[in-house]
Amino acid sequence: MKYVVYLGVCLTSVSAFAQEEAVQDMSDPLAVYTQVGIGATDKGLNLKVGQTYETGRDDTAAMNIIEVKGFLGEKVGWQDGNDDSVDSLRFRNFHVNLTSGRGTQLDVNYDIASESGSASYSLIQALPQMGPVTVYPLVGLGASFINAANSEGEKLFGYALPGTFAVVGTYGKVAMSDKLWLNYNPMWFTTLSGSDSYVDFGLEGDSNVLKHEVALSYQFTPRFNARYFANWSQNEDFKDGGHRLEFNYQL
């Protein structure tokens, strides 16, 4: 944890010298901006890098985000059995229509140890703000993949797609002050097709699962914030879920 706090202090110092023009609202789930971030979790450190790019249209914005998760787990993480290697990778691509407030998200997750992951494509729509509350409903489709093996653990024919799923949920934001906000992001997943075992048990041992994410964030400067995240599901208690402290800086 001390490594993350030190890096967070460094980012705070750097942000004091940054120019303030054209800064995006970092509390907006549909905001698009170039960024770097680092976080401490029970599994180790996470590193995030996001880069905007030109779409060729004045009314749209886009960015790619790459995350490397769970490295230095033995030194920094507080979960038993951690090692220092990378646990998982995540890639996201965002497109946002600046006029309609509608966005799209491609989200690819890969777990290195199990050689498995998922890829999904979702639509997100910003609804009119209601006082301090803003919601961003989401609906999407995805597929799971795995490096298939037989009962002896032999990898026979490469990656397979055991099934597909749908996701319905929302990003929610409550502005508590100009610098402090709370997010609640429930997501319901259900299997759609695939092998019998995937359709019946592919999502945490069931055909569907409700996942929760809560984040409490504080904006130190227009370019720098700190965020605490908690993730759990209907099959996992809050205290047993994933917890992380994250520092983000807008370049």
Side-chain angles (χ1 to χ4, degrees), residues 129-248:
Q129 187 172 340
M130 299 170 287
V133 178
T134 311
V135 294
Y136 306 78
L138 173 150
V139 60
L141 298 173
S144 299
F145 57 88
I146 188 170
N147 193 359
N150 61 20
S151 57
E152 283 76 38
E154 296 177 302
K155 306 295 173 61
L156 301 177
F157 52 83
Y159 284 87
L161 297 177
T164 63
F165 61 88
V167 55
V168 178
T170 185
Y171 293 103
K173 170 190 166 185
V174 180
M176 304 170 72
S177 73
D178 291 342
K179 295 186 176 183
L180 183 68
W181 72 95
L182 179 71
N183 295 103
Y184 174 53
N185 311 321
M187 299 288 168
W188 181 72
F189 296 80
T190 183
T191 58
L192 294 177
S193 64
S195 67
D196 290 342
S197 61
Y198 179 85
V199 170
D200 293 336
F201 309 108
L203 299 174
E204 295 189 8
D206 205 340
S207 62
N208 61 81
V209 63
L210 177 62
K211 297 185 178 183
H212 307 272
E213 179 177 75
V214 168
L216 182 63
S217 309
Y218 186 80
Q219 196 75 32
F220 289 95
T221 75
R223 293 183 182 271
F224 174 74
N225 65 34
R227 311 190 70 187
Y228 163 73
F229 287 86
N231 296 86
W232 73 102
S233 75
Q234 66 188 55
N235 303 312
E236 186 177 40
D237 292 336
F238 175 86
K239 64 181 178 63
D240 297 324
H243 300 268
R244 70 184 187 273
L245 178 63
E246 184 177 284
F247 297 96
N248 298 287

Side-chain angles (χ1 to χ4, degrees), residues 10-28:
C10 291
L11 287 177
T12 306
S13 301
V14 171
S15 68
F17 297 96
Q19 296 180 357
E20 301 299 337
E21 62 267 23
V23 177
Q24 300 299 309
D25 179 4
M26 296 177 72
S27 71
D28 183 353

Side-chain angles (χ1 to χ4, degrees), residues 17 51-52 54 62 73 91 95 98 111 119 126 129-130 163 201 214 221:
F17 297 96
Q51 175 67 58
T52 60
E54 293 293 332
F91 170 80
H95 270 258
L98 303 176
D111 183 83
Q129 187 172 340
M130 299 170 287
F201 309 108
V214 168
T221 75

Side-chain angles (χ1 to χ4, degrees), residues 30 59-61 95-104 123-126:
L30 289 181
D59 62 346
T60 62
H95 270 258
V96 178
N97 186 301
L98 303 176
T99 302
S100 66
R102 181 171 299 167
T104 63
L123 299 176
I124 309 169
Q125 177 65 58

Side-chain angles (χ1 to χ4, degrees), residues 110-130:
Y110 183 72
D111 183 83
I112 293 175
S114 64
E115 297 185 74
S116 65
S118 65
S120 64
Y121 184 81
S122 303
L123 299 176
I124 309 169
Q125 177 65 58
L127 298 183
Q129 187 172 340
M130 299 170 287

